[in-house]
Amino acid sequence: MPLSRTGLFAALLACLLAGCVKENLDDCPAEGGYGLVFYYPGNGTTDIFREKIGSVDVYFYDMDGREVLARVLSEAELDRYQGIVPELADGTYTVVCWGNVDGYSSFTTTDPLTDARLYQRQYFAGDTITDFDPLYFGRRTVTIESRREATDTVMFVSAHINMEVHIGDYTGVISAGDTGKGIISLTNVAVGYDFAMDTTGESSVIYPQWTREPSTGEIEAMFDLLRFGNDNPIELQVRDLDEGEVIATVGLAQFLADNGINVEGVNEITVPIYILFDESDGFYVSVDPWDTAGVEPVPRK
């Protein structure tokens, strides 16, 4: 007989809690205690949390929005228990979780909740932005009662979008060898989140690192951005390193519309942009090298 929705959810929790049946039970809920487990289904229904998330920064806030507990859970801790057992007094709390906060992210403040912000680390330091962490986010309200055995679940969502930019037949002069930055830039890129995963309104320019394939000369850049919508102000620019001249500009919103790419309401998404320069002093833009047929070259400005 098929399991009910309640039965399926109970089975899921049992699988998540199964990680506690190991040598070290320090991170697991005591019998009759409270535990919070993490769950991320990607674009489906199966939990893929450990495939995508290697660490979690967890913050608990009381009903006044004051921080009462902060923990950074490492990969090893998540292997033991995919969640957290908070040692807190009975009460109702807001829990905010960030996954994969690493070298490209920095918290400017975490207390109080209304002022808490996460920024791209290079931006906050005044340096050139080259990439973003592949962030994930979860938030919910929980009630802890010491006399009640309970397990709540924080559902994570993706807080980033994967970007791939490929450039074929690059006509500019490459003076930095087979790797570097400066050829590709994206303008009007969001650089920060509040603790509801809304962008802060500030934007900047990213200059992603690129590599060149020696046999073909094709340039490739793979990087992440904070979430953006289908209607966005981002522009991708390709520059001649020798002259500093912009030789191609692609409006991201128009590119998404032209190629039927929807970035809203989906967790795992990659936006692939292929630019092919043409001898007729123009360039083609498509989602991959094989979709340029029939596309008219765009004149360079």
Side-chain angles (χ1 to χ4, degrees):
M1 184 173 65
L3 284 173
S4 66
R5 181 175 295 182
T6 302
L8 286 170
F9 191 68
L12 165 66
L13 290 181
C15 291
L16 293 175
L17 292 170
C20 287
V21 188
K22 295 185 179 181
E23 296 83 356
N24 190 334
L25 304 181
D26 293 344
D27 297 320
C28 303
E31 185 176 351
Y34 177 83
L36 195 64
V37 297
F38 303 144
Y39 177 67
Y40 175 65
N43 296 336
T45 57
T46 302
D47 181 45
I48 57 172
F49 182 92
R50 294 300 289 118
E51 294 178 26
K52 299 293 184 178
I53 301 174
S55 66
V56 177
D57 289 59
V58 190
Y59 297 90
F60 285 79
Y61 296 89
D62 64 20
M63 295 303 291
D64 294 323
R66 306 303 307 192
E67 181 184 307
V68 294
L69 178 66
R71 282 277 305 276
V72 179
L73 302 175
S74 66
E75 185 173 5
E77 289 173 303
L78 292 171
D79 282 340
R80 290 195 297 270
Y81 179 58
Q82 191 175 299
I84 185 172
V85 180
E87 296 182 359
L88 291 171
D90 289 4
T92 299
Y93 301 92
T94 299
V95 186
V96 177
C97 304
W98 292 100
N100 296 340
V101 174
D102 202 354
Y104 292 111
S105 302
S106 177
F107 296 105
T108 56
T109 184
T110 59
D111 190 24
L113 176 57
T114 53
D115 295 341
R117 298 290 185 271
L118 180 151
Y119 278 97
Q120 206 283 350
R121 185 186 298 271
Q122 293 165 314
Y123 170 81
F124 191 69
D127 298 329
T128 300
I129 301 174
T130 57
D131 206 344
F132 289 80
D133 288 325
L135 297 170
Y136 293 85
F137 175 79
R139 173 170 168 156
R140 71 163 295 168
T141 300
V142 301
T143 299
I144 298 175
E145 297 178 17
S146 57
R147 291 176 297 178
R148 180 175 67 95
E149 181 176 359
T151 302
D152 287 324
T153 302
V154 176
M155 182 81 72
F156 279 68
V157 297
S158 172
H160 72 282
I161 291 179
N162 304 115
M163 301 292 296
E164 293 186 10
V165 178
H166 301 263
I167 304 175
D169 294 339
Y170 176 67
T171 59
V173 176
I174 297 178
S175 56
D178 292 328
T179 185
K181 61 186 179 184
I183 288 178
I184 301 166
S185 64
L186 289 90
T187 63
N188 303 314
V189 170
V191 293
Y193 282 131
D194 64 16
F195 271 36
M197 210 189 95
D198 293 323
T199 54
T200 60
E202 295 145 290
S203 63
S204 190
V205 182
I206 177 175
Y207 296 89
Q209 298 279 348
W210 53 267
T211 57
R212 181 176 57 168
E213 172 57 46
S215 61
T216 65
E218 181 173 300
I219 292 170
E220 178 184 84
M222 303 178 69
F223 53 98
D224 296 308
L225 296 179
L226 300 189
R227 299 295 301 200
F228 52 83
N230 295 327
D231 184 12
N232 64 80
I234 299 173
E235 281 194 345
L236 182 152
Q237 296 181 338
V238 181
R239 201 173 290 272
D240 183 326
L241 280 184
D242 188 51
E243 300 292 336
E245 174 191 2
V246 175
I247 55 178
T249 299
V250 179
L252 189 54
Q254 190 63 53
F255 176 82
L256 297 178
D258 290 345
N259 292 279
I261 300 174
N262 173 40
V263 299
E264 298 176 3
V266 59
N267 277 312
E268 296 296 321
I269 181 74
T270 297
V271 177
I273 303 175
Y274 185 81
I275 299 174
L276 178 64
F277 285 93
D278 182 80
E279 291 181 359
S280 64
D281 204 34
F283 61 92
Y284 300 90
V285 183
S286 73
V287 293
D288 64 52
W290 316 117
D291 285 350
T292 55
V295 179
E296 292 297 323
V298 180
R300 296 186 208 155
K301 296 179 180 180

